[in-house]
Amino acid sequence: MTNVRRSIKILKMVVIATIILVIVGQFWFWLEPFSVDLISATHPIISEYGGIGKLDSTQRAWGFAVTLIPKLALLWSMLLLLQLANALEAGRWFDRECENCCTRIGRWLIVYVALTVVHRTFLVMVITMNNPVGERHLALSVSSDDLMALVPALLALIIGHMVKLARAQRDELNEIV
Amino acid sequence: MPIIVRLDVVLAKRGVKSKDLAAHVGITEANLSLLKSGKVKGVRFSTLAAICDYLDCKPGDILDYTDNA
């Protein structure tokens, strides 16, 4: 049991670090993009269209908003994962809270994947919004990374269902004296 | 439920208190009360054996079956 508790503690630290990284990265990239360039961190779509230096402040504000939306879904999933880790640490492995956390994590990760696909379209529109008429772009792309991101989402949904079955079995076992 | 639990009858015949039986069998008084009222989903063989040992009876003295049909 000590190993399990240690693993849960490590999971919580990783989740908290991810949350901090996502928030700091989002603000840092759009507010101080040139310092981000110094560490060679680039956005693939923005680089394709000439880099963040070509965007004016309005485009950067819109870009910040558009890229923030899928990240909010991801952050919410991370917070639910933290809630799940707290429940597991307290020993509540088969409670309804765990089942609900797993199910909601799965659903929000699916939302995150969908928003990631959609946000690219809007980001390209923002990047090319100041281009002359006829040179503005509209793009729709789905990458293998998006499909891979569905795997943890579906796993979370399956685990949620397993917890539900386990709880039903535990409750039935408790009624046998 | 076609299974009828007559544990309370046997307890009364033997003059044994529920508290003492529960302590010997190793279940809580609450669970023993649920067992007496037939509100449990099942009984483990080990529990049944411990009850019969304490009350010096057979499982058939405690459990009965009625065909509702």
Side-chain angles (χ1 to χ4, degrees):
Chain A
M1 206 58 175
T2 314
N3 283 340
V4 173
R5 284 196 186 276
R6 197 180 303 136
S7 300
I8 294 171
K9 277 198 191 325
I10 292 170
L11 171 67
K12 284 171 69 171
M13 287 193 294
V14 168
V15 168
I16 290 169
T18 304
I19 290 171
I20 293 169
L21 264 171
V22 168
I23 294 171
V24 167
Q26 176 71 7
F27 280 90
W28 190 10
F29 184 83
W30 290 101
L31 292 181
E32 285 292 320
F34 302 107
S35 62
V36 170
D37 275 344
L38 286 175
I39 60 168
S40 302
T42 56
H43 193 291
I45 294 176
I46 296 173
S47 301
E48 207 177 299
Y49 285 89
I52 200 164
K54 291 199 182 284
L55 304 181
D56 62 23
S57 55
T58 308
Q59 284 175 303
R60 277 161 54 179
W62 276 109
F64 175 85
V66 161
T67 53
L68 182 64
I69 293 170
K71 289 193 173 73
L72 287 176
L74 179 65
L75 286 173
W76 185 241
S77 306
M78 293 290 109
L79 287 173
L80 288 170
L81 189 53
L82 213 52
Q83 185 184 348
L84 175 65
N86 286 335
L88 296 180
E89 215 175 11
R92 300 192 301 269
W93 288 83
F94 300 121
D95 283 9
R96 190 174 289 277
E97 182 188 6
C98 276
E99 178 200 338
N100 288 342
C101 274
C102 289
T103 308
R104 287 163 72 195
I105 287 167
R107 286 184 190 153
W108 276 102
L109 283 177
I110 291 173
V111 167
Y112 163 68
V113 170
L115 287 174
T116 301
V117 170
V118 167
H119 105 281
R120 285 194 208 108
T121 303
F122 287 103
L123 187 59
V124 168
M125 285 170 63
V126 164
I127 292 168
T128 60
M129 69 189 232
N130 289 339
N131 288 6
V133 174
E135 291 181 28
R136 295 172 195 165
H137 293 182
L138 186 67
L140 182 63
S141 68
V142 179
S143 76
S144 57
D145 288 346
D146 300 327
L147 297 176
M148 284 303 296
L150 282 177
V151 171
L154 295 172
L155 274 175
L157 289 173
I158 289 169
I159 291 170
H161 186 68
M162 284 169 63
V163 168
K164 182 180 173 184
L165 291 175
R167 193 175 70 252
Q169 291 220 340
R170 182 201 62 180
D171 290 345
E172 191 169 326
L173 204 62
N174 285 342
E175 291 184 49
I176 297 173
V177 296
Chain B
M1 172 62 103
I3 299 292
I4 298 174
V5 179
R6 302 198 191 284
L7 181 58
D8 47 352
V9 173
V10 179
L11 281 170
K13 276 187 184 171
R14 302 285 193 274
V16 173
K17 289 185 184 166
S18 298
K19 189 173 73 171
D20 299 331
L21 177 62
H24 174 81
V25 168
I27 61 176
T28 61
E29 282 186 65
N31 277 348
L32 186 64
S33 175
L34 287 170
L35 175 59
K36 282 198 297 183
S37 59
K39 289 178 183 170
V40 295
K41 279 240 164 81
V43 184
R44 294 189 180 90
F45 285 150
S46 56
T47 304
L48 196 53
I51 291 172
C52 292
D53 173 59
Y54 193 75
L55 298 177
D56 189 27
C57 64
K58 297 266 194 289
D61 299 329
I62 302 168
L63 303 171
D64 197 2
Y65 174 79
T66 60
D67 185 358
N68 287 337

